[in-house]
């Protein structure tokens, strides 16, 4: 009897960028999972010709859970609103990108797919299409009617989650409330247990201010917000260290036993992670009722169609998704 494989849906992202290129490269990979590419088949055919790749495109059949054969891609077909010129964005195709995302997340909710891996999108193009869009994380939360999600990036030896995501720096302090911070930590701890199989996760928590506030001399957020929340959750049994100064937290002495770091804002933790693992890092959305991972890079319009785009981050995202759906 044939084995029924797990199934991941891959969204191809911005059509003018490297997303389609990376999806085509997957035809050369041999993975113990069925990969389904959500994209316009004509776009993929056009890009394959540009890249001189011989790839057979086969329409996805939900009844068949076998991996694609070598040189073949399974495609869930969508149609661009207008023909795509490689490297040149077109707001007319902004809705196409969102339609693919909606299909993927609904398919995961319905059990058609076991998880989703998202290619890079161009936020400005989607906004120029007249659709307010701040990022994958927020969009997927809305689509799944999830009250709160947490953005986490991971690479070998380091996971960094964020207490706030895409906010101006001037708004960060006000956004970190006792309730919001507690909710973020609960989601992070729960998904480290349930989606990563870590029984008692250790989380290092950054302070918001330089030197973690230096006893109130450099800000009161640690004393008034962060420490009370950490103390409360420690009493429930969570293994939380901090708040720690972000400028010294990211060193081997602290990280050796840690399962994740919680940074207070986007540019506090992610520059370190991207320096350590850019190109081999993955973006993971915690708190969703589905598994979602993503590449850690942008659309790279200048590399589209050149054959120079590296698939490493996409392969890492697939690998993490496979780990998470097997737990």
């Amino acid at each position: 009897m044939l084995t029924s494989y797990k199934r991941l849906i891959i969204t191809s992202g911005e059509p003018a960028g490297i997303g389609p290129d990376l999806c085509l490269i997957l035809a050369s990979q041999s993975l113990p999972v069925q990969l389904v590419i959500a994209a316009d088949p004509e776009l993929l055919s056009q890009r394959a010709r540009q890249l001189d790749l011989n790839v057979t495109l086969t329409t996805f059949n939900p009844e068949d859970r076998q991996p694609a054969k070598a040189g073949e891609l399974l495609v869930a077909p969508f149609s661009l609103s207008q023909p795509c010129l490689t490297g040149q964005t077109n707001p007319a195709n902004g809705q196409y990108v969102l339609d693919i995302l909606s299909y993927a997340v609904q398919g995961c909710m319905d059990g058609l797919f076991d998880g989703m891996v998202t290619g890079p999108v161009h936020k400005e193009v989607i906004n120029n299409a007249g659709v307010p869009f701040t990022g994958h994380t927020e969009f997927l939360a809305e689509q799944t009617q999830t009250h709160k999600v947490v953005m986490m990036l991971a690479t070998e030896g380091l996971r960094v989650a964020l207490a706030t995501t895409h906010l101006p720096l001037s708004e960060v302090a006000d956004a970190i409330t006792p309730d919001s911070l507690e909710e973020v930590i609960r989601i992070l701890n729960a998904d480290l247990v349930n989606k990563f199989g870590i029984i008692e996760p250790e989380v290092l928590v950054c302070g918001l201010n330089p030197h973690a506030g230096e006893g109130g001399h450099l800000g009161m957020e640690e004393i008034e917000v962060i420490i009370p929340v950490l103390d409360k959750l420690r009493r429930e049994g969570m293994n939380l260290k901090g708040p720690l100064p972000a400028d010294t937290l990211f060193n081997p002495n602290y990280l050796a036993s840690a399962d994740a770091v919680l940074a207070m804002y986007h540019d506090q933790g992610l520059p370190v992670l991207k320096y350590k693992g850019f190109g081999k890092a993955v973006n993971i959305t915690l708190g969703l009722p589905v598994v979602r991972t993503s590449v850690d890079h942008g659309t790279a319009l200048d590399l589209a169609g050149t054959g120079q785009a590296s698939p490493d981050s996409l392969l890492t995202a697939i690998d993490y998704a496979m780990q998470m759906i097997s737990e």
Side-chain angles (χ1 to χ4, degrees):
M1 186 174 70
L2 291 175
T3 302
S4 180
Y5 287 83
K6 296 285 190 178
R7 176 187 288 155
L8 294 175
I9 178 74
I10 316 293
T11 62
S12 51
E14 165 57 46
I18 61 172
D21 305 44
L22 301 179
C23 291
L24 287 163
I25 294 172
L26 292 177
S28 65
Q29 304 294 314
S30 177
L31 299 169
V33 63
Q34 186 184 72
L35 303 179
V36 180
I37 312 301
D40 186 321
E42 181 52 40
L43 169 67
L44 294 176
S45 296
Q46 171 193 329
R47 197 65 59 85
R49 291 192 294 271
Q50 282 184 266
L51 296 170
D52 196 25
L53 294 175
N54 185 17
V55 178
T56 299
L57 305 179
T58 302
T59 301
F60 164 56
N61 176 8
E63 303 303 317
D64 180 7
R65 275 190 175 259
Q66 297 304 302
K69 304 178 183 66
E72 178 186 25
L73 278 185
L74 301 179
V75 180
F78 286 78
S79 296
L80 290 164
S81 295
Q82 294 184 8
C84 174
L85 297 177
T86 303
Q88 298 181 33
T89 59
N90 183 347
N93 290 322
Q95 188 60 50
Y96 159 88
V97 175
L98 296 182
D99 288 346
I100 284 175
L101 283 173
S102 296
Y103 168 78
V105 71
Q106 190 61 52
C108 289
M109 296 282 285
D110 294 341
L112 179 61
F113 307 111
D114 298 297
M116 61 185 293
V117 179
T118 56
V121 299
H122 200 294
K123 297 175 191 176
E124 182 181 351
V125 173
I126 298 172
N127 282 288
N128 287 343
V131 182
F133 182 82
T134 56
H136 274 116
T137 304
E138 296 83 357
F139 180 82
L140 295 176
E142 181 181 350
Q143 290 290 298
T144 58
Q145 298 182 3
T146 303
H147 168 65
K148 183 74 172 180
V149 295
V150 176
M151 179 178 175
M152 182 173 80
L153 269 73
T155 190
E156 185 176 355
L158 182 62
R159 301 183 185 97
V160 177
L162 302 177
T164 60
T165 53
H166 301 114
L167 286 178
L169 192 56
S170 61
E171 298 178 13
V172 168
D174 288 341
I176 300 173
T177 66
D179 287 345
S180 71
L181 183 60
E182 178 179 336
E183 193 170 17
V184 166
I185 295 174
R186 288 189 185 280
I187 291 169
L188 172 59
N189 188 79
D191 273 11
L192 288 173
V193 173
N194 298 325
K195 292 182 179 175
F196 289 88
I198 303 169
I199 297 174
E200 295 181 354
E202 177 180 304
V203 177
L204 307 182
V205 181
C206 295
L208 172 64
N209 299 295
H211 302 177
E214 207 165 87
H217 293 288
L218 293 176
M220 294 297 293
E221 287 82 6
E222 285 76 14
I223 293 171
E224 295 176 352
V225 178
I226 301 176
I227 291 173
V229 170
L230 297 187
D231 286 345
K232 174 184 178 180
L233 296 178
R234 286 190 191 106
R235 289 193 292 270
E236 295 183 14
M238 292 190 196
N239 187 2
L240 306 171
K241 301 294 196 300
L244 299 167
D247 65 338
T248 56
L249 178 156
F250 291 98
N251 71 67
N253 291 335
Y254 281 120
L255 296 176
S257 62
D259 296 297
V261 172
L262 177 62
M264 291 296 109
Y265 56 93
H266 188 281
D267 282 12
Q268 184 182 56
L270 297 194
V272 179
L273 184 134
K274 292 196 174 188
Y275 176 77
K276 176 177 172 60
F278 189 78
K280 293 188 177 179
V282 55
N283 188 344
I284 303 164
T285 306
L286 306 179
L288 290 173
V290 302
V291 167
R292 180 261 172 165
T293 67
S294 181
V295 295
D296 73 337
H297 56 71
T299 54
L301 298 170
D302 57 324
L303 296 181
T306 67
Q308 297 178 31
S310 170
D312 288 348
S313 182
L314 179 58
L315 292 172
T316 303
I318 291 170
D319 182 59
Y320 268 87
M322 289 169 59
Q323 293 177 43
M324 292 168 71
I325 63 179
S326 67
E327 288 298 336

